[in-house]
Amino acid sequence: MRTALLTAFLVLAGCTSTPPPLADHGAAAITQPITTMDELVRWMRSRTESCDDVRPASRQEFAQFVGPQLVDLYEPFMTEWTTCSLSSSYPKVGLVLIKDMRAFQQSWRDAMTAGRVSDGPAFSFGNGFAITSGYLGIAELDLYYLRCNYDDPQVHQIPADVAGCVFANPEHSHH
């Protein structure tokens, strides 16, 4: 009886618990961590009331989203990528799981320093994932761009996990 009551309490406590507060910097300050594609699809559906026609996508499709010159910057950090449809405005959105956000940020900053890229990635980022539509992610999902060597006092920024980079959301004050 005592074990059954304890189990019932733990189940109820788990159902009613709230997620821990977000950190004050780095990817952990953007969203709660998402580590599986099922979690990411559920998160998208909870935010957009959509995310239909979910399907894994090929490397070639990913290269179409980012361009053939950038695919090598993203691929080492992708664990999975899938597309879904949100509406006629967003008929195909890519959902990307990132296995090491800190290493991705470092790699992007190094590519900028070396002159291989001139701006931050166009994706919008959460903790452990990215959405290929930057505007959708920034304006509607309250995600962030990754920017290095960036300072705009008019834009809401959170220090990234690597020095010299921030997560920036120019639409954050509009939410």
Side-chain angles (χ1 to χ4, degrees):
M1 176 73 168
R2 193 179 228 186
T3 303
L5 286 174
L6 179 58
T7 301
F9 173 75
L10 292 174
V11 168
L12 287 174
C15 291
T16 60
S17 67
T18 58
L22 296 176
D24 62 354
H25 69 280
I30 300 173
T31 65
Q32 295 295 329
I34 291 181
T35 59
T36 69
M37 192 54 70
D38 287 341
E39 286 178 291
L40 183 50
V41 168
R42 278 193 306 275
W43 184 86
M44 285 292 290
R45 287 179 176 154
S46 74
R47 294 294 189 99
T48 65
E49 299 179 6
S50 188
C51 197
D52 302 320
D53 192 27
V54 175
R55 64 177 193 81
S58 69
R59 180 187 194 279
Q60 292 77 18
E61 289 173 291
F62 186 72
Q64 289 174 342
F65 270 95
V66 300
Q69 69 278 15
L70 296 179
V71 75
D72 292 335
L73 284 172
Y74 287 98
E75 267 193 332
F77 306 100
M78 281 184 358
T79 58
E80 189 175 353
W81 111 276
T82 297
T83 61
C84 72
S85 172
L86 299 182
S87 66
S88 60
S89 299
Y90 302 104
K92 193 173 197 180
V93 174
L95 311 176
V96 181
L97 289 178
I98 300 172
K99 64 182 162 191
D100 188 341
M101 282 293 291
R102 181 181 195 76
F104 175 77
Q105 294 166 47
Q106 180 72 47
S107 174
W108 199 272
R109 187 187 72 186
D110 293 350
M112 286 188 73
T113 301
R116 294 193 328 251
V117 294
S118 60
D119 196 6
F123 292 177
S124 51
F125 291 89
N127 186 359
F129 68 96
I131 307 296
T132 59
S133 171
Y135 180 78
L136 166 71
I138 301 305
E140 298 180 34
L141 300 174
D142 204 24
L143 298 175
Y144 289 78
Y145 291 123
L146 172 64
R147 298 291 183 250
C148 298
N149 304 317
Y150 177 85
D151 185 30
D152 183 344
Q154 302 297 319
V155 173
H156 178 71
Q157 299 175 45
I158 296 172
D161 297 296
V162 298
C165 297
V166 297
F167 291 107
N169 183 326
E171 300 290 323
H172 187 75
S173 62
H174 301 264
H175 295 284

